[in-house]
Amino acid sequence: MKEKNDIETVFAGGGDGAPGMSMGRVSIDITRMDKSKPDFDRLLLLPTRNLVLFPGVHLSVGLGRETTVQVARYAEDNNMRIGVVCQRDPDKDLPRGEDLYDHAVVADVLKVLDLPDDEHAALLRGHQSVRIDEVSDSMVIPGALVAKVTPVHEPVPRANNLEFEVIVQNIITASEKILEKVFDHGAPFNPKDLGSPVETVNAIATNMPLPVEEKEQMLATPRMKQRAMRLLQSLQRYKERIDVNAEIMQRARRGMEENQRNAFLQQQMEAIREELYGDADSDVDVMAEKLDSLILPDNIRTTLTKEIDKLRRLNPQSPDYSVQYSYLDTVLDLPWDKSTEVNEDFDLAENILENDHYGLEKVKERIIEQLAVVMDNPGGKAPILCLVGPPGVGKTSLGASVARALGRSYQRVALGGLHDEAEIRGHRRTYIGAMPGRIIDAMRRAGTDNPVLLLDEIDKIGADYKGDPSAALLEVLDPEQNCHFHDNYIDLDFDLSKVLFIATANTLQTVSRPLLDRVEIIEIPGYLVEEKIEIAKRHLLPHLLKEQGWEPDSLKITDEALTAIIDNYTGESGVRQLEKRLAAILRKAVLARRRGKDFPQPVTAEMLKDLLGTAPYHKDRCPDKDLPGVVTGLAWTQAGGEILLVEVSLSRAKQGGKLTLTGNLGDVMKESAAIALEWVRAHAESLNISSDKFETNNFHVHFPEGAIPKDGPSAGITMATAIVSALTGRPTRHGLAMTGEITLRGQVLPVGGIREKILAARRAGATDIILSTENRRDVDDIPAAYLDGLTIHYVDTVADVMEQALQ
């Protein structure tokens, strides 16, 4: 009678060693066991994909390959033992000898089970470990392998080995913790019920989901205490991986829950805001879409994205919302990526400049040169031009003409009277009523990143405790720095390198030196009377008629009348006052038409008193009579050139030599008068002047129009000539004017404003002018039309002046 026993399997299912579910107890006939000894020279092998079997362990193995099923059935039918070995690559279906690990376990095939769905499993019991020496093909089962093996002796630790028992106890504890974390509904086995310490170590090593490589190293370790220590280390590493993975999953789950919570709250907040404030978010969405459409550097895009997100979180009814909205609206409205295509028709640009302005040949030539440079290299850095000249000569209109000639957008930035640096750089957003500076505001209004910006009246900038705006302009007008212009309000770098800056000023005396170093000075002189007449006929009068809706030829004014207006009703180098006088005449014509009366045409010089009243100006002219002690000098003012009469009179005195100066003179002019008198006193003998006259006479030097301040050294030769003329009684030549600085040695030094002074002399009816020889270079730059009817006499010393001037 055959004896039967029940064996409880630990795992079942899977394919070729894959663990599965518990199969309970299976009735096995064990009377046939242990009757056949293994053939160590030709041991039949059962390869597994991921199972490493240890000695003394009962286990069910899933059989997923036909070859392994045949091997298991053959072993069961012939009551023979086989070698269970794990293959290195689990994906190989037909492993060869080199695909197998070097150690295996001799095992009994207790039973081959037929499972549902045409699957199979084998119940195995491990006996001893062996080392594989050689692998060859089986002659019995096609595709199967046999191996020549060497048994491995595994010494068992002595009883009561405390160290081994402690290691095993730690293995059991670690296994329990791992099984608790891996299996939620109960572990498939209990580590405490596996038998002796050796059986416990081998069973846990077989069944725990440790890496195959680590299990193979344990199987290759014959000493049980060392194997147990390796197993404990592997369990600890596996437990740490489980803990780390659990922590990562927990953090991910918390993050997901937080994101879901935030998304839910965000949806609720948007619903509440939509219910309370309507379409407030639509404005924010429009800004976000506008930001997406702009081409911006990454750092600026990131900053603006954060600002838009900040706006979404604000209450539309709060003050902060309007501040943030205004900021974003300003920044997104700037021309970050918008450029105007520059006009490349040079002839057209030149014609525009010629048609818009009459005269100013040197100035227009320099500007036309600049236009050619900009058209030839649109991406180059253009110099900053500074137009300097008296009021009304067309500095501002020149900037507009340059913009039209280039086809660029034009904006004028008025700087007159600025005394706050924030007007240039903007205010910080933290202040109430903060706004960007005038430069950024002009760029926003221009709508392009390459406009023409006219910085008007830079000489009128002031400075106080709020800062110096001219210092802030240093960055704006420096081509090496303005590519990163930083406005305090937008708090972002903005590129101004493509902007063509044109500055204007009436004088350079009040402009800071560093600022002048960054600009190229272009001086615009005053106009001749003939030029003013042409400007009036070509530009001023047609413009005024157009404003009133009249036909271009509705009002005619004779050249004589225009000349009389210029001489007697205006006192300027420009044409602004002339335009006002023409507008006054046009108003009289409009009034007459509204009253149904005829307005006399054309307007003549005789009609001006009735139309404009008494002439407020009297044209200064050279004296008609040649009187001793009276000399005509030339002076420069902000309104242009003027003639300057010098009168010297002698008065008897007991103790003479006293010098009296009148006429609202500055310190420099007073010093020049003293130098002139000393030179005359030192050269009295060569001038045929008796030395007694200096002892018995006082000298009174007077400049008429005493209400007008006068200063400067250019009247030096004029005063010296007047003193000599008064002492000698010799008048100066008729129609002679002069200008120049003197020294104690009698040298005549050059002075400035020659062009304006020559224009003043020509208007006053002078025919001869005395200048320093070094001023010849200034005269050479003056058009020949300005010198028509004038004779220039160049001198080096005061003696040369006396020879040329006195009759």
Side-chain angles (χ1 to χ4, degrees):
M1 180 177 181
K2 293 183 178 180
E3 180 182 358
K4 293 188 177 181
N5 193 12
D6 290 337
I7 298 178
E8 183 176 2
T9 60
V10 179
F11 288 101
D16 295 335
M21 61 182 178
S22 175
M23 297 184 61
R25 295 184 177 274
V26 179
S27 179
I28 301 296
D29 185 1
I30 62 173
T31 58
R32 300 172 57 212
M33 299 294 109
D34 299 329
K35 291 186 177 180
S36 65
K37 295 182 179 180
D39 185 357
F40 293 122
D41 290 332
R42 293 190 62 82
L43 181 65
L44 189 62
L45 297 180
L46 177 68
T48 62
R49 295 183 188 272
N50 51 17
L51 171 68
V52 178
L53 183 65
F54 282 78
V57 177
H58 294 75
L59 191 70
S60 69
V61 179
L63 305 176
R65 292 176 284 197
E66 184 63 28
T67 305
T68 56
V69 174
Q70 294 180 11
V71 169
R73 289 191 185 280
Y74 183 82
E76 180 188 19
D77 295 341
N78 292 281
N79 194 22
M80 61 180 298
R81 291 176 176 173
I82 61 174
V84 179
V85 60
C86 186
Q87 61 191 56
R88 299 178 185 273
D89 186 1
D91 296 330
K92 278 204 170 186
D93 290 333
L94 296 175
R96 298 289 89 194
E98 63 274 8
D99 300 325
L100 306 176
Y101 281 103
D102 296 334
H103 288 80
V105 169
V106 177
D108 292 327
V109 180
L110 303 181
K111 189 173 184 60
V112 177
L113 304 174
D114 296 326
L115 304 176
D117 298 330
D118 199 23
E119 294 184 0
H120 307 279
L123 300 181
L124 303 179
R125 180 178 63 184
H127 279 282
Q128 70 179 116
S129 62
V130 295
R131 186 181 66 250
I132 298 177
D133 298 328
E134 183 179 345
V135 178
S136 59
D137 294 333
S138 171
M139 303 298 293
V140 178
I141 302 174
L145 300 174
V146 295
K148 180 179 180 182
V149 299
T150 300
V152 177
H153 176 64
E154 296 181 350
V156 178
R158 297 190 305 272
N160 300 325
N161 188 325
L162 182 60
E163 183 179 1
F164 180 68
E165 292 178 356
V166 171
I167 293 175
V168 174
Q169 185 60 44
N170 287 332
I171 289 175
I172 294 173
T173 302
S175 300
E176 290 177 338
K177 293 181 179 179
I178 291 174
L179 292 174
E180 289 177 0
K181 294 178 181 295
V182 173
F183 297 95
D184 297 333
H185 303 289
F189 67 94
N190 187 354
K192 296 180 179 179
D193 299 336
L194 295 177
S196 65
V198 173
E199 292 175 343
T200 299
V201 170
N202 287 339
I204 292 176
T206 301
N207 290 286
M208 292 300 290
L210 302 175
V212 173
E213 292 79 5
E214 296 182 7
K215 289 186 176 183
E216 282 293 332
Q217 293 176 1
M218 298 177 202
L219 184 61
T221 304
R223 294 187 176 276
M224 191 55 60
K225 188 166 69 172
Q226 294 178 359
R227 180 182 294 176
M229 183 57 70
R230 282 182 177 271
L231 175 59
L232 181 60
Q233 293 172 351
S234 295
L235 291 174
Q236 292 294 341
R237 285 195 297 267
Y238 187 71
K239 180 179 178 296
E240 290 176 0
R241 283 198 296 270
I242 292 176
D243 293 340
V244 172
N245 184 65
E247 183 178 355
I248 292 174
M249 292 299 294
Q250 187 175 6
R251 286 206 304 264
R253 190 178 298 110
R254 283 199 304 266
M256 185 179 301
E257 293 174 354
E258 184 69 21
N259 291 337
Q260 291 175 348
R261 175 178 175 273
N262 292 339
F264 176 71
L265 293 176
Q266 185 69 25
Q267 289 178 354
Q268 283 189 325
M269 185 172 67
E270 291 177 359
I272 294 173
R273 290 178 61 184
E274 183 176 356
E275 185 68 23
L276 290 176
Y277 312 117
D279 295 333
D281 278 346
S282 62
D283 294 336
V284 183
D285 294 336
V286 170
M287 287 190 175
E289 293 176 1
K290 191 171 184 179
L291 175 61
D292 294 338
S293 65
L294 294 177
I295 301 175
L296 298 171
D298 293 340
N299 60 329
I300 294 179
R301 183 177 297 277
T302 302
T303 301
L304 293 182
T305 301
K306 292 179 180 178
E307 296 292 340
I308 290 177
D309 292 340
K310 179 180 177 181
L311 181 64
R312 291 185 186 276
R313 296 191 295 269
L314 294 175
N315 184 345
Q317 301 300 322
S318 68
D320 292 340
Y321 184 89
S322 60
V323 172
Q324 185 73 2
Y325 184 88
S326 298
Y327 167 75
L328 287 171
D329 185 53
T330 300
V331 174
L332 295 176
D333 204 27
L334 290 175
W336 295 97
D337 57 349
K338 298 178 182 178
S339 297
T340 301
E341 186 176 353
V342 178
N343 172 36
E344 297 183 356
D345 190 345
F346 179 75
D347 294 334
L348 175 62
E350 190 172 12
N351 291 335
I352 290 175
L353 202 61
E354 289 289 346
N355 294 333
D356 286 353
H357 294 84
Y358 181 80
L360 307 178
E361 302 301 331
K362 290 287 185 180
V363 177
K364 289 192 293 187
E365 181 181 357
R366 174 62 186 89
I367 293 177
I368 289 173
E369 291 174 359
Q370 188 60 47
L371 295 181
V373 171
V374 173
M375 290 182 180
D376 190 62
N377 183 21
K381 295 180 179 178
I384 288 86
L385 306 180
C386 183
L387 307 178
V388 181
V393 295
K395 301 183 295 296
T396 304
S397 59
L398 270 172
S401 296
V402 170
R404 282 208 312 127
L406 289 173
R408 294 190 182 186
S409 177
Y410 168 77
Q411 290 295 324
R412 174 179 169 270
V413 181
L415 301 180
L418 284 189
H419 53 82
D420 188 355
E421 181 185 352
E423 293 284 349
I424 303 297
R425 290 189 176 276
H427 304 82
R428 298 284 182 186
R429 277 190 290 161
T430 54
Y431 295 110
I432 297 176
M435 61 181 65
R438 298 199 180 191
I439 302 299
I440 291 297
D441 183 63
M443 294 299 297
R444 182 180 61 84
R445 288 184 282 110
T448 63
D449 62 0
N450 61 342
V452 175
L453 289 191
L454 182 76
L455 305 180
D456 209 7
E457 309 291 356
I458 64 170
D459 58 323
K460 308 299 190 303
I461 296 177
D464 60 8
Y465 67 95
K466 297 180 181 179
D468 186 1
S470 63
L473 280 177
L474 297 179
E475 181 184 5
V476 177
L477 299 181
D478 192 340
E480 300 299 327
Q481 300 180 34
N482 60 16
C483 56
H484 299 291
F485 176 68
H486 193 87
D487 186 274
N488 291 329
Y489 180 77
I490 66 173
D491 201 23
L492 298 168
D493 289 342
F494 192 81
D495 187 5
L496 297 176
S497 60
K498 299 179 182 179
V499 179
L500 178 59
F501 288 100
I502 299 177
T504 69
N506 296 129
T507 177
L508 299 179
Q509 296 179 359
T510 57
V511 182
S512 67
R513 296 298 101 185
L515 191 58
L516 284 181
D517 185 57
R518 285 166 167 77
V519 299
E520 180 178 343
I521 306 299
I522 299 178
E523 293 187 357
I524 303 180
Y527 294 107
L528 292 172
V529 174
E530 293 80 2
E531 291 177 336
K532 290 183 179 181
I533 292 174
E534 289 296 324
I535 292 173
K537 292 193 296 185
R538 295 187 182 190
H539 301 287
L540 302 182
L541 194 55
H543 174 69
L544 293 172
L545 291 172
K546 183 179 180 180
E547 283 188 344
Q548 294 295 336
W550 285 29
E551 295 297 328
D553 297 330
S554 299
L555 180 66
K556 296 183 180 297
I557 303 177
T558 64
D559 290 352
E560 293 76 11
L562 290 174
T563 303
I565 295 173
I566 293 170
D567 289 341
N568 302 324
Y569 290 89
T570 64
E572 59 176 353
S573 293
V575 293
R576 188 168 290 140
Q577 294 297 324
L578 175 58
E579 184 178 15
K580 292 180 180 179
R581 297 304 177 183
L582 294 176
I585 295 175
L586 184 56
R587 287 196 300 270
K588 297 290 185 181
V590 173
L591 180 61
R593 186 174 70 171
R594 298 300 297 177
R595 288 176 174 175
K597 298 180 180 180
D598 293 332
F599 187 79
Q601 297 267 10
V603 177
T604 62
E606 291 76 15
M607 301 167 54
L608 293 181
K609 185 174 181 180
D610 295 333
L611 295 174
L612 299 178
T614 303
Y617 296 98
H618 177 70
K619 181 178 179 181
D620 291 332
R621 300 192 63 85
C622 294
D624 295 332
K625 297 180 181 181
D626 298 331
L627 302 175
V630 179
V631 182
T632 302
L634 299 174
W636 179 91
T637 67
Q638 291 189 5
E642 298 288 345
I643 66 169
L644 185 68
L645 294 180
V646 179
E647 300 175 349
V648 176
S649 66
L650 305 179
S651 60
R652 292 288 182 177
K654 295 181 179 180
Q655 185 175 359
K658 180 181 177 182
L659 177 63
T660 302
L661 301 174
T662 57
N664 199 353
L665 308 182
D667 292 337
V668 176
M669 186 168 280
K670 292 177 181 179
E671 292 171 356
S672 295
I675 294 173
L677 180 59
E678 289 301 320
W679 183 88
V680 175
R681 192 192 302 271
H683 295 80
E685 183 177 353
S686 62
L687 295 172
N688 295 324
I689 300 174
S690 173
S691 59
D692 294 341
K693 290 187 177 183
F694 295 99
E695 302 298 333
T696 59
N697 291 288
N698 290 330
F699 297 86
H700 188 157
V701 180
H702 175 65
F703 290 81
E705 300 182 4
I708 301 176
K710 309 171 188 68
D711 200 5
S714 62
I717 64 173
T718 308
M719 289 185 285
T721 304
I723 293 173
V724 173
S725 175
L727 289 171
T728 61
R730 299 165 58 189
T732 59
R733 297 181 184 275
H734 183 73
L736 177 68
M738 62 184 68
T739 182
E741 181 182 357
I742 67 171
T743 67
L744 281 175
R745 295 179 292 113
Q747 298 294 317
V748 179
L749 302 181
V751 293
I754 295 299
R755 187 179 188 278
E756 288 78 8
K757 292 177 181 179
I758 289 178
L759 287 177
R762 193 168 183 271
R763 288 195 300 265
T767 57
D768 296 86
I769 298 177
I770 294 179
L771 299 175
S772 170
T773 302
E774 296 185 28
N775 281 127
R776 184 188 296 270
R777 60 179 181 269
D778 300 308
V779 177
D780 292 340
D781 290 337
I782 299 175
Y786 289 22
L787 305 175
D788 188 22
L790 293 177
T791 302
I792 309 297
H793 304 276
Y794 298 102
V795 296
D796 294 313
T797 64
V798 181
D800 297 336
V801 175
M802 301 306 162
E803 183 179 350
Q804 295 285 344
L806 297 178
Q807 296 182 10

